[in-house]
Each structure stands twice: as structure tokens, then as C-alpha cells.
Amino acid sequence: RLLSVVIPARNEEGCIGATVEHLHVELRLHGIPHEIVVVDDGSTDGTWRVLEDAATRVPVCRPVRNEGEHGFGRAITFGFG
């Protein structure tokens, strides 16, 4: 069993890296097998770069880009796809 956490992100370069890292630490400390899927939902800042960097430090981080229509619900659906 694996917990999949899907996080939509748009222009979150200032906090998304720390969010992913802290979430990973907490889940790992509680022994919960997990993956963290972060959907870059049309960011115009450095969010994608931060996510790529986070994926090198957090092996369960799975960044993906939503190149289609944007929005919270669409990003969540895209993350489960």
C-alpha cells in the first residue's frame, strides 16, 4: 500500500520545496509508504526548477507539468492520471 499525496502548485517557488521536504519527513517518521506528486499548474515563476531540485533530494517526489487547461480541480485530476 502506498499513500499518494497530490499537491497542485502554481507560482509557489518560495515554499513548495520546503513543503515537499517537510511532508516527506513527517510521513517517513510515521512509517507511511508514500509518493508526493506535485502538479505544476501553469507556473510562470521558478516553481518547476524548484520541483526538479526537490526531486533530487526527495526520492518520492514526482513532479509533473499540467500543460493543458489549468485550475485546482484539473491539477488534482491530472496528478492522479
Side-chain angles (χ1 to χ4, degrees):
R1 298 178 105 178
L2 181 72
L3 173 67
S4 295
V5 179
V6 178
I7 303 172
R10 182 175 176 126
N11 297 332
E12 299 290 343
E13 74 176 318
C15 64
I16 195 64
T19 299
V20 167
E21 289 180 25
H22 288 120
L23 178 59
H24 171 60
V25 167
E26 286 298 317
L27 292 171
R28 191 179 71 212
L29 285 173
H30 292 288
I32 300 170
H34 62 281
E35 68 176 348
I36 303 169
V37 179
V38 185
V39 181
D40 183 341
D41 194 38
S43 296
T44 57
D45 65 357
T47 297
W48 182 250
R49 178 184 43 78
V50 171
L51 290 174
E52 288 180 314
D53 184 51
T56 66
R57 292 187 317 281
V58 179
V60 297
C61 179
R62 313 266 186 271
V64 293
R65 274 186 164 158
N66 178 10
E67 303 280 346
E69 291 187 51
H70 305 296
F72 181 84
R74 288 183 177 106
I76 294 292
T77 301
F78 188 84
F80 283 113

Coordinates of all heavy atoms in Angstrom, one line a residue:
R1 N 0.8 -1.2 0.0 CA 0.0 0.0 0.0 C 0.9 1.2 0.0 O 1.9 1.3 0.7 CB -0.9 0.0 1.2 CG -1.8 -1.2 1.2 CD -2.7 -1.2 2.4 NE -4.0 -0.8 2.1 CZ -5.0 -0.7 2.9 NH1 -4.8 -1.0 4.2 NH2 -6.2 -0.3 2.6
L2 N 0.4 2.2 -0.8 CA 1.2 3.4 -0.9 C 0.3 4.6 -0.9 O -0.7 4.7 -1.6 CB 1.9 3.4 -2.3 CG 2.8 4.6 -2.6 CD1 4.1 4.6 -1.8 CD2 3.2 4.5 -4.1
L3 N 0.6 5.6 0.0 CA -0.2 6.8 0.1 C 0.3 7.8 -1.0 O 1.5 8.0 -1.1 CB 0.0 7.5 1.4 CG -0.7 8.9 1.6 CD1 -2.2 8.8 1.5 CD2 -0.2 9.5 2.9
S4 N -0.6 8.2 -1.9 CA -0.2 9.2 -2.9 C -0.8 10.5 -2.5 O -2.0 10.7 -2.4 CB -0.8 8.8 -4.3 OG -0.3 7.6 -4.7
V5 N 0.1 11.5 -2.3 CA -0.3 12.8 -1.9 C -0.1 13.7 -3.2 O 1.0 13.7 -3.8 CB 0.6 13.4 -0.8 CG1 0.2 14.8 -0.5 CG2 0.6 12.5 0.4
V6 N -1.2 14.3 -3.7 CA -1.2 15.1 -4.9 C -1.3 16.6 -4.4 O -2.3 17.0 -3.7 CB -2.3 14.8 -5.8 CG1 -2.3 15.7 -7.1 CG2 -2.2 13.3 -6.3
I7 N -0.3 17.4 -4.8 CA -0.3 18.8 -4.5 C -0.3 19.7 -5.7 O 0.6 19.6 -6.5 CB 1.0 19.2 -3.7 CG1 1.1 18.3 -2.4 CG2 1.0 20.6 -3.3 CD1 2.4 18.4 -1.7
P8 N -1.4 20.4 -6.0 CA -1.3 21.4 -7.1 C -0.5 22.6 -6.7 O -0.5 23.0 -5.6 CB -2.8 21.8 -7.3 CG -3.4 21.6 -5.9 CD -2.6 20.5 -5.3
A9 N 0.3 23.1 -7.7 CA 1.2 24.2 -7.4 C 1.2 25.2 -8.6 O 1.4 24.8 -9.7 CB 2.6 23.7 -7.1
R10 N 1.0 26.4 -8.3 CA 1.1 27.5 -9.3 C 1.8 28.7 -8.7 O 1.3 29.3 -7.7 CB -0.3 27.9 -9.8 CG -0.2 28.9 -10.9 CD -1.6 29.2 -11.5 NE -1.5 30.3 -12.5 CZ -1.9 30.2 -13.7 NH1 -2.5 29.1 -14.1 NH2 -1.8 31.2 -14.5
N11 N 2.9 29.0 -9.2 CA 3.8 30.1 -8.7 C 4.0 30.0 -7.2 O 3.8 30.9 -6.5 CB 3.1 31.4 -9.1 CG 3.0 31.6 -10.6 OD1 3.8 31.1 -11.4 ND2 2.0 32.4 -11.0
E12 N 4.6 28.8 -6.9 CA 4.9 28.5 -5.5 C 6.4 28.3 -5.2 O 6.8 27.6 -4.3 CB 4.1 27.2 -5.0 CG 2.6 27.3 -5.1 CD 2.0 28.3 -4.1 OE1 2.7 28.6 -3.1 OE2 0.9 28.7 -4.3
E13 N 7.2 28.9 -6.0 CA 8.7 28.7 -5.9 C 9.2 29.0 -4.5 O 10.2 28.4 -4.1 CB 9.5 29.4 -7.0 CG 9.6 30.9 -6.7 CD 10.5 31.6 -7.8 OE1 11.5 31.1 -8.1 OE2 10.1 32.7 -8.2
G14 N 8.6 29.9 -3.8 CA 9.1 30.3 -2.5 C 8.8 29.3 -1.4 O 9.5 29.3 -0.4
C15 N 7.9 28.4 -1.6 CA 7.6 27.5 -0.5 C 7.4 26.0 -0.8 O 7.4 25.1 0.0 CB 6.3 28.0 0.2 SG 4.8 27.9 -0.8
I16 N 7.3 25.7 -2.1 CA 6.9 24.3 -2.5 C 8.1 23.3 -2.1 O 7.8 22.2 -1.7 CB 6.5 24.2 -4.0 CG1 5.8 22.8 -4.2 CG2 7.7 24.4 -4.9 CD1 4.6 22.6 -3.5
G17 N 9.3 23.7 -2.2 CA 10.4 22.8 -1.9 C 10.4 22.4 -0.4 O 10.5 21.2 -0.1
A18 N 10.2 23.4 0.5 CA 10.1 23.1 1.9 C 8.9 22.3 2.2 O 8.9 21.4 3.1 CB 10.1 24.4 2.7
T19 N 7.8 22.6 1.5 CA 6.5 21.8 1.8 C 6.8 20.3 1.5 O 6.4 19.4 2.3 CB 5.4 22.4 0.9 OG1 5.2 23.7 1.3 CG2 4.1 21.5 1.1
V20 N 7.4 20.0 0.3 CA 7.6 18.7 -0.1 C 8.6 18.0 0.9 O 8.3 16.9 1.4 CB 8.2 18.6 -1.5 CG1 8.8 17.2 -1.8 CG2 7.1 19.0 -2.5
E21 N 9.6 18.7 1.3 CA 10.6 18.1 2.2 C 10.0 17.8 3.6 O 10.2 16.7 4.1 CB 11.8 19.0 2.3 CG 12.7 19.0 1.0 CD 13.9 19.9 1.1 OE1 14.4 20.1 2.2 OE2 14.3 20.3 0.1
H22 N 9.3 18.7 4.1 CA 8.7 18.6 5.5 C 7.6 17.5 5.4 O 7.5 16.7 6.4 CB 8.1 19.9 6.0 CG 9.1 20.9 6.4 ND1 9.2 22.1 5.8 CD2 10.1 20.8 7.3 CE1 10.2 22.7 6.3 NE2 10.8 22.0 7.2
L23 N 6.8 17.4 4.4 CA 5.8 16.4 4.3 C 6.5 15.0 4.2 O 6.0 14.0 4.9 CB 4.9 16.6 3.1 CG 3.8 15.6 2.8 CD1 2.9 15.5 4.0 CD2 3.1 15.9 1.5
H24 N 7.5 14.9 3.4 CA 8.2 13.6 3.3 C 8.8 13.2 4.7 O 8.7 12.0 5.0 CB 9.3 13.8 2.3 CG 10.3 12.6 2.2 ND1 9.9 11.3 1.9 CD2 11.6 12.5 2.4 CE1 10.9 10.5 1.9 NE2 12.0 11.2 2.3
V25 N 9.4 14.1 5.4 CA 10.0 13.7 6.7 C 8.9 13.2 7.6 O 9.1 12.2 8.3 CB 10.7 15.0 7.3 CG1 11.1 14.7 8.7 CG2 12.0 15.2 6.5
E26 N 7.8 13.9 7.7 CA 6.7 13.5 8.6 C 6.2 12.1 8.3 O 6.0 11.3 9.1 CB 5.6 14.5 8.6 CG 5.9 15.8 9.4 CD 6.2 15.6 10.9 OE1 5.5 14.8 11.5 OE2 7.2 16.1 11.4
L27 N 5.9 11.9 7.0 CA 5.4 10.6 6.6 C 6.4 9.5 6.8 O 6.0 8.4 7.3 CB 4.9 10.7 5.1 CG 3.7 11.6 4.9 CD1 3.5 11.7 3.4 CD2 2.5 11.0 5.5
R28 N 7.6 9.8 6.5 CA 8.7 8.8 6.8 C 8.8 8.5 8.3 O 9.0 7.3 8.7 CB 10.0 9.3 6.2 CG 11.1 8.2 6.2 CD 12.4 8.7 5.6 NE 12.9 9.6 6.6 CZ 13.7 10.7 6.3 NH1 13.9 11.0 5.0 NH2 14.2 11.4 7.2
L29 N 8.8 9.5 9.1 CA 8.9 9.3 10.6 C 7.8 8.4 11.1 O 8.0 7.7 12.1 CB 8.9 10.6 11.3 CG 10.2 11.4 11.2 CD1 10.0 12.8 11.9 CD2 11.3 10.7 11.9
H30 N 6.6 8.5 10.5 CA 5.5 7.7 10.9 C 5.4 6.3 10.2 O 4.4 5.6 10.3 CB 4.2 8.4 10.7 CG 4.1 9.6 11.7 ND1 3.8 9.4 13.0 CD2 4.2 10.9 11.5 CE1 3.8 10.6 13.6 NE2 4.1 11.5 12.7
G31 N 6.4 6.0 9.3 CA 6.5 4.8 8.6 C 5.4 4.6 7.6 O 5.0 3.4 7.3
I32 N 5.0 5.7 7.0 CA 3.9 5.6 5.9 C 4.6 5.6 4.6 O 5.1 6.6 4.1 CB 2.9 6.8 6.1 CG1 2.3 6.8 7.5 CG2 1.9 6.7 5.0 CD1 1.5 8.0 7.8
P33 N 4.5 4.5 3.8 CA 5.0 4.4 2.5 C 4.2 5.4 1.6 O 2.9 5.5 1.7 CB 4.7 3.0 2.0 CG 4.4 2.2 3.2 CD 3.9 3.2 4.2
H34 N 4.9 6.3 0.8 CA 4.2 7.3 0.1 C 4.9 7.8 -1.1 O 6.1 7.5 -1.3 CB 4.0 8.5 1.1 CG 5.4 9.1 1.5 ND1 6.1 8.5 2.5 CD2 6.1 10.2 1.1 CE1 7.2 9.2 2.7 NE2 7.2 10.2 1.8
E35 N 4.2 8.5 -1.9 CA 4.8 9.3 -3.0 C 4.1 10.7 -2.9 O 3.0 10.8 -2.5 CB 4.5 8.7 -4.4 CG 3.1 8.7 -4.8 CD 2.8 8.1 -6.2 OE1 3.8 7.9 -6.9 OE2 1.6 7.9 -6.5
I36 N 4.9 11.7 -3.4 CA 4.4 13.1 -3.4 C 4.4 13.5 -4.8 O 5.4 13.8 -5.4 CB 5.2 14.0 -2.5 CG1 5.3 13.4 -1.1 CG2 4.7 15.4 -2.5 CD1 6.3 14.1 -0.2
V37 N 3.2 13.7 -5.4 CA 3.0 14.1 -6.8 C 2.7 15.6 -6.7 O 1.7 16.0 -6.2 CB 1.9 13.3 -7.5 CG1 1.8 13.8 -8.9 CG2 2.2 11.8 -7.4
V38 N 3.6 16.4 -7.3 CA 3.3 17.9 -7.3 C 3.1 18.2 -8.7 O 3.9 18.0 -9.6 CB 4.5 18.7 -6.7 CG1 4.2 20.1 -6.7 CG2 4.9 18.1 -5.4
V39 N 1.9 18.8 -9.0 CA 1.5 19.2 -10.3 C 1.8 20.7 -10.5 O 1.1 21.6 -9.8 CB 0.0 18.9 -10.5 CG1 -0.4 19.4 -12.0 CG2 -0.3 17.5 -10.3
D40 N 2.7 21.0 -11.4 CA 3.0 22.4 -11.7 C 1.8 22.8 -12.7 O 1.8 22.3 -13.8 CB 4.3 22.6 -12.4 CG 4.7 24.0 -12.7 OD1 3.7 24.9 -12.8 OD2 5.8 24.3 -12.9
D41 N 1.0 23.7 -12.2 CA -0.3 24.0 -12.9 C -0.1 25.4 -13.7 O -0.9 26.3 -13.4 CB -1.4 24.0 -12.0 CG -2.8 24.0 -12.7 OD1 -2.9 23.3 -13.7 OD2 -3.7 24.7 -12.2
G42 N 0.8 25.4 -14.5 CA 1.0 26.7 -15.3 C 1.8 27.8 -14.7 O 1.5 28.9 -15.0
S43 N 2.7 27.4 -13.8 CA 3.5 28.4 -13.1 C 4.3 29.3 -14.1 O 4.8 28.8 -15.2 CB 4.5 27.8 -12.2 OG 3.8 27.1 -11.1
T44 N 4.4 30.6 -13.8 CA 5.3 31.5 -14.6 C 6.5 31.9 -13.8 O 7.3 32.7 -14.3 CB 4.4 32.7 -15.0 OG1 4.0 33.4 -13.8 CG2 3.3 32.4 -15.9
D45 N 6.7 31.4 -12.7 CA 7.9 31.7 -11.9 C 8.9 30.4 -11.9 O 8.8 29.7 -12.9 CB 7.6 32.1 -10.5 CG 6.9 30.9 -9.7 OD1 6.7 29.8 -10.2 OD2 6.6 31.2 -8.5
G46 N 9.7 30.2 -11.0 CA 10.7 29.2 -10.9 C 10.2 27.9 -10.2 O 11.0 27.1 -9.8
T47 N 8.9 27.7 -10.1 CA 8.3 26.5 -9.5 C 8.8 25.2 -10.0 O 9.3 24.3 -9.3 CB 6.8 26.5 -9.5 OG1 6.3 27.7 -8.8 CG2 6.2 25.3 -8.9
W48 N 8.9 25.1 -11.4 CA 9.3 23.9 -12.0 C 10.8 23.6 -11.6 O 11.1 22.4 -11.3 CB 9.1 23.9 -13.5 CG 9.5 22.6 -14.1 CD1 10.6 22.3 -14.9 CD2 8.9 21.3 -14.0 NE1 10.7 21.0 -15.3 CE2 9.6 20.4 -14.7 CE3 7.7 20.9 -13.3 CZ2 9.2 19.0 -14.8 CZ3 7.4 19.6 -13.3 CH2 8.1 18.6 -14.1
R49 N 11.6 24.6 -11.6 CA 13.0 24.4 -11.3 C 13.2 23.9 -9.8 O 13.9 23.0 -9.5 CB 13.8 25.7 -11.5 CG 15.2 25.7 -11.1 CD 15.9 27.0 -11.2 NE 15.1 28.2 -10.7 CZ 15.0 28.5 -9.5 NH1 15.6 27.8 -8.5 NH2 14.2 29.5 -9.1
V50 N 12.4 24.5 -8.9 CA 12.4 24.1 -7.5 C 11.9 22.7 -7.4 O 12.5 21.9 -6.6 CB 11.5 25.0 -6.7 CG1 11.4 24.5 -5.3 CG2 12.1 26.5 -6.7
L51 N 10.9 22.3 -8.1 CA 10.4 20.9 -8.1 C 11.5 19.9 -8.6 O 11.6 18.8 -8.0 CB 9.1 20.7 -8.9 CG 7.9 21.4 -8.3 CD1 6.7 21.3 -9.2 CD2 7.6 20.8 -6.9
E52 N 12.1 20.2 -9.7 CA 13.2 19.4 -10.2 C 14.3 19.2 -9.2 O 14.8 18.1 -9.0 CB 13.8 19.9 -11.5 CG 12.8 19.8 -12.7 CD 13.4 20.4 -13.9 OE1 14.0 21.5 -13.9 OE2 13.3 19.7 -15.0
D53 N 14.6 20.3 -8.5 CA 15.7 20.2 -7.5 C 15.2 19.4 -6.3 O 15.9 18.5 -5.7 CB 16.0 21.6 -7.0 CG 17.1 21.6 -6.0 OD1 18.2 21.0 -6.3 OD2 17.0 22.3 -4.9
A54 N 13.9 19.5 -5.9 CA 13.4 18.8 -4.8 C 13.4 17.3 -5.1 O 13.6 16.4 -4.2 CB 11.9 19.2 -4.4
A55 N 13.1 16.9 -6.3 CA 13.1 15.5 -6.7 C 14.4 14.9 -6.6 O 14.5 13.6 -6.4 CB 12.6 15.4 -8.2
T56 N 15.5 15.6 -6.7 CA 16.9 15.1 -6.5 C 17.1 14.8 -5.0 O 18.0 13.9 -4.7 CB 18.0 16.0 -7.1 OG1 18.0 17.2 -6.3 CG2 17.7 16.3 -8.5
R57 N 16.5 15.5 -4.1 CA 16.7 15.4 -2.7 C 15.7 14.5 -2.0 O 16.0 13.8 -1.0 CB 16.7 16.7 -2.0 CG 17.9 17.6 -2.3 CD 17.9 18.9 -1.5 NE 16.6 19.5 -1.3 CZ 16.0 20.3 -2.2 NH1 16.6 20.5 -3.3 NH2 14.9 20.9 -1.9
V58 N 14.5 14.4 -2.6 CA 13.4 13.6 -2.0 C 13.0 12.6 -3.1 O 12.3 12.9 -4.0 CB 12.2 14.5 -1.7 CG1 11.0 13.7 -1.1 CG2 12.6 15.7 -0.7
P59 N 13.5 11.3 -2.9 CA 13.3 10.3 -3.9 C 11.8 10.0 -4.2 O 11.5 9.4 -5.3 CB 14.0 9.1 -3.3 CG 14.2 9.3 -1.9 CD 14.2 10.8 -1.7
V60 N 10.9 10.3 -3.3 CA 9.5 10.0 -3.6 C 8.7 11.2 -4.2 O 7.5 11.1 -4.4 CB 8.8 9.5 -2.3 CG1 9.4 8.3 -1.7 CG2 8.8 10.7 -1.2
C61 N 9.4 12.3 -4.5 CA 8.8 13.4 -5.1 C 8.7 13.2 -6.6 O 9.7 12.8 -7.3 CB 9.6 14.7 -4.9 SG 9.0 16.2 -5.7
R62 N 7.5 13.3 -7.1 CA 7.2 13.1 -8.6 C 6.6 14.4 -9.2 O 5.4 14.5 -9.2 CB 6.2 12.0 -8.7 CG 6.5 10.7 -7.9 CD 7.3 9.7 -8.7 NE 7.4 8.4 -8.0 CZ 8.4 8.2 -7.1 NH1 9.3 9.1 -6.9 NH2 8.5 7.0 -6.5
P63 N 7.4 15.3 -9.6 CA 6.9 16.5 -10.2 C 6.4 16.2 -11.7 O 7.0 15.5 -12.4 CB 8.1 17.5 -10.3 CG 9.3 16.6 -10.2 CD 8.9 15.3 -9.5
V64 N 5.2 16.8 -12.0 CA 4.6 16.7 -13.3 C 4.1 18.1 -13.7 O 3.8 18.9 -12.8 CB 3.5 15.6 -13.4 CG1 4.0 14.2 -13.2 CG2 2.4 15.9 -12.4
R65 N 4.0 18.3 -15.0 CA 3.6 19.6 -15.5 C 2.2 19.4 -16.2 O 2.0 18.5 -17.1 CB 4.5 20.1 -16.6 CG 5.6 20.9 -16.0 CD 6.4 21.6 -17.1 NE 7.2 22.6 -16.6 CZ 8.3 23.1 -17.2 NH1 8.7 22.5 -18.4 NH2 9.0 24.0 -16.7
N66 N 1.3 20.2 -15.8 CA 0.0 20.2 -16.5 C 0.1 21.3 -17.6 O 0.0 22.5 -17.3 CB -1.2 20.6 -15.5 CG -2.5 20.7 -16.2 OD1 -2.7 20.3 -17.3 ND2 -3.5 21.2 -15.5
E67 N 0.2 20.8 -18.8 CA 0.3 21.7 -19.9 C -1.1 22.0 -20.5 O -1.2 22.9 -21.4 CB 1.2 21.0 -21.0 CG 2.5 20.6 -20.6 CD 3.5 21.7 -20.6 OE1 3.2 22.8 -21.1 OE2 4.6 21.5 -19.9
G68 N -2.1 21.4 -20.0 CA -3.5 21.7 -20.6 C -4.1 22.8 -19.8 O -3.5 23.7 -19.3
E69 N -5.5 22.7 -19.7 CA -6.2 23.7 -19.0 C -5.9 23.7 -17.5 O -5.7 22.6 -17.0 CB -7.7 23.5 -19.2 CG -8.2 23.7 -20.6 CD -9.7 23.7 -20.8 OE1 -10.4 24.3 -20.0 OE2 -10.1 22.9 -21.6
H70 N -5.8 24.9 -16.9 CA -5.4 25.0 -15.5 C -6.6 25.2 -14.6 O -7.7 25.5 -15.0 CB -4.4 26.1 -15.4 CG -3.2 26.0 -16.3 ND1 -2.3 25.0 -16.2 CD2 -2.8 26.8 -17.4 CE1 -1.4 25.1 -17.2 NE2 -1.7 26.2 -17.9
G71 N -6.3 25.0 -13.3 CA -7.3 25.1 -12.3 C -7.0 24.1 -11.2 O -6.5 23.0 -11.5
F72 N -7.5 24.3 -10.0 CA -7.2 23.4 -8.9 C -7.7 22.0 -9.2 O -7.0 21.1 -9.0 CB -7.9 24.0 -7.6 CG -7.7 23.2 -6.4 CD1 -6.5 23.3 -5.7 CD2 -8.7 22.2 -6.0 CE1 -6.3 22.5 -4.5 CE2 -8.5 21.5 -4.9 CZ -7.3 21.6 -4.2
G73 N -9.0 21.9 -9.6 CA -9.6 20.6 -9.8 C -8.9 19.9 -10.9 O -8.7 18.6 -10.9
R74 N -8.6 20.6 -12.0 CA -7.9 20.0 -13.1 C -6.5 19.5 -12.7 O -6.0 18.4 -13.2 CB -7.8 21.0 -14.3 CG -9.1 21.2 -15.0 CD -8.9 22.2 -16.2 NE -10.2 22.3 -16.8 CZ -11.0 23.4 -16.8 NH1 -10.6 24.4 -16.0 NH2 -12.1 23.5 -17.4
A75 N -5.8 20.3 -11.9 CA -4.5 19.9 -11.4 C -4.5 18.6 -10.6 O -3.7 17.7 -10.7 CB -3.8 21.0 -10.7
I76 N -5.5 18.5 -9.7 CA -5.7 17.3 -8.9 C -6.0 16.1 -9.8 O -5.4 15.1 -9.6 CB -6.9 17.5 -7.9 CG1 -6.5 18.6 -6.9 CG2 -7.2 16.2 -7.2 CD1 -5.4 18.3 -5.9
T77 N -6.9 16.3 -10.7 CA -7.2 15.2 -11.6 C -6.0 14.8 -12.4 O -5.7 13.6 -12.6 CB -8.4 15.6 -12.6 OG1 -9.5 15.9 -11.8 CG2 -8.7 14.5 -13.5
F78 N -5.3 15.7 -12.9 CA -4.0 15.4 -13.7 C -3.0 14.7 -12.8 O -2.4 13.7 -13.3 CB -3.4 16.8 -14.2 CG -2.3 16.6 -15.1 CD1 -2.5 16.4 -16.5 CD2 -1.0 16.6 -14.7 CE1 -1.4 16.2 -17.4 CE2 0.1 16.4 -15.5 CZ -0.2 16.2 -16.9
G79 N -2.9 15.0 -11.6 CA -2.0 14.3 -10.7 C -2.3 12.9 -10.4 O -1.4 12.1 -10.2
F80 N -3.6 12.5 -10.5 CA -4.0 11.1 -10.3 C -3.9 10.4 -11.6 O -4.0 9.1 -11.6 CB -5.4 11.1 -9.8 CG -5.5 11.3 -8.3 CD1 -6.1 12.5 -7.8 CD2 -4.9 10.5 -7.4 CE1 -6.2 12.7 -6.5 CE2 -4.9 10.8 -6.0 CZ -5.6 11.9 -5.6
G81 N -3.7 11.0 -12.7 CA -3.6 10.4 -14.0 C -2.4 9.6 -14.4 O -1.5 9.3 -13.8

